[in-house]
Amino acid sequence: MGAPLKNPTQAEQDFLREFALLLDKAPGDAAERQAAFDRFARAGLPSRRVESWHYSDLRVKLRQASPLAEPPDHVSLDYARAELEKVAAPGALKLVSIDGFFAPDLSDDFSRVAGVEIRPLAALSNDRATLALQADDPLLDLNGAFSPGGLTIEIAAGISLEKPIEIVALCGANGGRSRFSRVHVVLGEGARASLIETRAEGFGGFGDSALLLSLGKAAELDYACRSRDSATVDVQTCVVSLEAGARLCATALVAGAAFLRRQLFVTCAGEKAELHLSAASMLTGQEHADITLVVTHQAPACLSRETFKFVLAEQAEGVFQGKIVVPPQAQKTDGKMVCRGLLLSDDASLQAKPELEIFADDVACGHGAACGKLDANQLFYMESRGIPRPEAQAILIQAFAAEAFDILRDESLRDLLNADLAALLQTGAFA
Amino acid sequence: MLEIENLHVSVAGKKILDGLSLSVPAGQVAAIMGPNGSGKSTLSYVIAGRADYDVTEGSIRLGGVDLLDKTAAERAALGLFLVFQYPLEIPGVATMTFLKAALNAQRKMRDEAEMAIPDFMKRVREAAARLNIPQDMLKRPVNLGFSGGEKKRMEILQMALLEPRFAILDELDSGLDIDALRICADGVNALRSKERSLLVITHYQRLLDYIVPDVVHVMSEGKIVRSGGPELALELEKSGYADYASEAA
Ligand SMILES: Nc1ncnc2c1ncn2[C@@H]1O[C@H](COP(=O)(O)OP(=O)(O)O)[C@@H](O)[C@H]1O
Ligand SMILES: [Mg+2]
C-alpha cells in the first residue's frame, strides 16, 4: 500500500506516521484519502527544484511536521470564542472552524437562511467531480489526505444573498499543531453572494487549507480573504471553476504571514466568464509571502484581470508568480496581469514572475511588473500641508495597497478590507 | 514675521543660496524676482522644510520661532504654507480626505480639537465655489489629471482652508492663462490681511499686476541684490536681469 517517499525528510516521515494513525478514524472514503496521500508521497514536499515552488522551498522550510490538531475541547472553544469577537466581520453570517474542525457552537444558524445549505464535506470525490480540478499540487493532495472533513456551502440557483457569508478559521488553545481545513462553496446558476474568509490562525505550527469555489452559469461571487495571522508555515490553496458567464471578484489582504504560500488555480470553464483577482500583501520583519496563481482560460471569450500588490518593509520577502494559460480553443481571451511592489526598505525584496502561455491567436493578453519606493516629492507635499511623516507615509501606503480592493463590487467588503488595512497601518508596523 | 539671516544652502555639494537675508513684516506682501536658476524655488523649499538641502549657515525664524530644527509638518502647523510651482499628484487619495487629514493634523499639533465634519464640508464648499472649483473635483484624487490652472486653484483652496499666517507662492503664474491667473490672484488677494504675510516669487512682472506687492526684492545667484517698491518690478520688465546676472562668474 502507498507510494514510497524517496529520501524522506523528517517532516515527510512525520506526515507518514500521522497519516497511518488517522486513516482508520477519519471520516469519508479511506481509499480516497489514501490515493490523495499517495499522490503527495510521489511528489514529496516541494523543494526549490520544483519550478513553481522555487522561491518557497517547503522541503527546507518545514523541518518537521507537528502532530495533527485534535477536535477543539472546551478550553479551545473559549479561546476561539474570545478571538472571534475580535476578528469577525460585523453583519456577516458566520461559519467558524477551529484548527480546521467546524465549530457549530460559534457559527450562525443557517437553517433559516433561504437558499443556503451547509453540509459536511466528507468525500473527496465530490470535489473532483464538481470541479474540473486542474490543480495538481502536492499540498492540495496533502490537504485531501488529512482534512478532517470540511464543509460544503451550497447557494441555490437564482438566490441572491443579502448578507455576506463569513468563513472564520481560528486556532485552538494548543499551538504548534498541523491544521488542515477544507471548504467548498457552490453557487448555482445565477446565484449571487458575497464571501468573506477570515483567517486568524497564528499560533505556530503548520497550516494547509483549501477553499474550493464552483460558480455555475452566470453566478456572481465577491470574495474577500482576510489573512490576518497565519501558522509558522502556512499554505492556502484556492481552486476555482467558472461556468459560462459567471463572474468572480476575489481579493485578499495578506498580513502577519511568517511563511505563507497562497496559491490560486482558476479555470474559466465556460464562455464569457469574468475573473477579477487581486491581493495586497503587507509584509514586514522576516515575513515571506508567495502568491502563485494559474489562470486557465479553457473556454473562449473569457476576461481576466489580475492586480497584485506587495508592501514590503524591513527584510520581508514577497514572491509573485502568475501564469495565464490560453489553449488553442480559447479565442477572444482578454487577460491582463500586473504586479506592483512598494519597497519600504533596502533589505526587502520582491520576486515577480508573470507569465503568459498562449496557444490561441486571436487574444488580447498582457502582463507587467514594477517595483518602487515611496515618492519623496509626494511625501514632502503632504508634510508641507501639516501631515506628519508617518501619517503621510501611511496615507500613501493605504492608497497603493487599497487599489487591490477596487475590484470588489460589494462595497461592504471593500470597506471591511480598507478598515483592516487602516488598522494595520495604525499599528506603525509600516511607518 | 519672517526673518532670514545670512542663509547659506547647498545641494549635493553645490552652493545655491549664498548669504541670503530677508525680512518680511506681518501684513506685508513681498515679491522676489529673479532669473531662472537664481535659487528662488530652493529658498521656498528650504523655508518650507524640505530635506536634502544642507543649510550650512544662517537662520530662518517665523514669528520669532527658529524653523530650521522643525519638520515640514511642524512648520505648517506654525502657519507656514507653500504654493508649489508644480503641485504633486497623489493617486488613490481623494482630495477631501487629503484636506481633512491636513487640517486635522495641524489642529492636533496646535492642541486644537478636530473640526466637525459638517463645518469642514461647509468651509471647503464655500472656498471651492469662490475659486470656481466644481464639487466633483474634490472627490477625485489629489491633483490627478488636473490641468495646470486647476492645480493652482487647488493650491489656493488649500491655502484658504488652512489659513496660514505666512504663505510663499512659487511661480503662481506658471502654466496659467490670463483667466485662470485672475481667479487665482483674486483668491490670494481675498486672503490678504494685516496678520498675514505673503512672499510672491516670480520671474515675470505680469503676476504683480494682479497681486500688487508692497516691496520687491531682486534675487541673483543665491542672494538678494536689490530691494525697492513696486516700481522696481516695472523697471526689471524693461531692462531684464542682465544687470544682475553673473557678476561673480
Ligand atoms: N536637487 C538639486 N540638485 C542639484 N541642483 C539643484 C537642485 N535643486 C536646484 N538645483 C540647482 O540650483 C539652482 C537654483 O535652482 P532653483 O532654486 O530651482 O532656481 P529658480 O527657482 O530661481 O529657477 C539651479 O542651478 C538648479 O539647477
Ligand atoms: Mg523655480
Side-chain angles (χ1 to χ4, degrees), chain B residues 7-22:
Chain B
L7 190 64
H8 291 258
V9 172
S10 32
V11 178
K14 182 183 166 197
K15 185 142 230 180
I16 297 172
L17 299 185
D18 189 14
L20 181 140
S21 296
L22 175 70

Side-chain angles (χ1 to χ4, degrees), chain A residues 187-192 214-221 244-248:
Chain A
L187 274 78
E189 188 170 336
R192 291 162 156 229
S214 308
L215 274 67
K217 277 186 189 144
E220 294 178 7
L221 180 69
R247 185 184 70 209
L248 172 68

Side-chain angles (χ1 to χ4, degrees), chain B residues 11-12 14 16 35-43 53 85 170-171:
Chain B
V11 178
K14 182 183 166 197
I16 297 172
N36 274 330
S38 56
K40 303 185 300 295
S41 289
T42 301
L43 174 64
Y53 291 100
Q85 182 170 357
D170 189 6
E171 311 271 6

Side-chain angles (χ1 to χ4, degrees), chain B:
Chain B
M1 169 88 59
L2 183 78
E3 300 287 342
I4 300 178
E5 268 174 51
N6 190 30
L7 190 64
H8 291 258
V9 172
S10 32
V11 178
K14 182 183 166 197
K15 185 142 230 180
I16 297 172
L17 299 185
D18 189 14
L20 181 140
S21 296
L22 175 70
S23 170
V24 183
Q28 188 183 77
V29 175
I32 291 189
M33 300 186 69
N36 274 330
S38 56
K40 303 185 300 295
S41 289
T42 301
L43 174 64
S44 64
Y45 286 146
V46 171
I47 299 172
R50 189 182 176 126
D52 57 52
Y53 291 100
D54 296 324
V55 178
T56 51
E57 222 184 309
S59 68
I60 307 175
R61 295 172 167 278
L62 181 69
V65 178
D66 185 0
L67 290 188
L68 286 177
D69 58 3
K70 299 267 187 285
T71 65
E74 286 165 344
R75 296 180 201 198
L78 285 169
L80 189 70
F81 186 84
L82 170 62
V83 172
F84 279 56
Q85 182 170 357
Y86 304 107
L88 275 293
E89 300 189 349
I90 310 183
V93 180
T95 302
M96 269 303 196
T97 311
F98 174 72
L99 295 177
K100 193 143 64 64
L103 186 70
N104 283 330
Q106 291 201 14
R107 293 174 76 99
K108 191 171 166 194
M109 274 187 275
R110 293 193 294 254
D111 288 324
E112 296 164 11
E114 280 199 1
M115 187 179 280
I117 299 216
D119 293 346
F120 167 77
M121 300 290 280
K122 185 159 169 275
R123 278 182 56 175
V124 176
R125 275 204 211 96
E126 286 172 1
R130 276 197 298 277
L131 289 158
N132 258 345
I133 295 175
Q135 299 297 324
D136 67 306
M137 242 169 87
L138 300 168
K139 291 185 197 136
R140 284 160 57 188
V142 178
N143 290 326
L144 193 68
F146 291 10
S147 71
E150 288 171 335
K151 284 180 183 169
K152 291 295 171 88
R153 273 186 275 158
M154 206 51 100
E155 295 287 284
I156 306 304
L157 171 76
Q158 293 178 37
M159 179 173 156
L161 188 70
L162 296 171
E163 301 181 303
R165 55 182 170 147
F166 194 97
I168 306 165
L169 291 75
D170 189 6
E171 311 271 6
L172 176 65
D173 49 337
S174 73
L176 290 192
D177 61 31
I178 214 75
D179 292 331
L181 176 55
R182 193 171 286 129
I183 293 171
C184 285
D186 287 349
V188 172
N189 286 326
L191 295 170
R192 289 177 79 149
S193 85
K194 283 202 296 293
E195 292 81 38
R196 181 172 291 135
S197 315
L198 303 180
L199 187 60
V200 181
I201 294 176
T202 183
H203 76 271
Y204 292 117
Q205 189 271 337
R206 182 181 77 156
L207 175 64
L208 304 182
D209 289 341
Y210 295 90
I211 303 174
V212 180
D214 300 312
V215 299
V216 174
H217 303 281
V218 181
M219 182 164 172
S220 176
E221 289 171 357
K223 49 178 170 285
I224 303 296
V225 291
R226 201 175 154 194
S227 302
E231 70 287 349
L232 185 52
L234 295 167
E235 189 185 307
L236 279 169
E237 180 75 357
K238 281 200 217 93
S239 61
Y241 293 109
D243 294 352
Y244 304 100
S246 295
E247 290 158 12

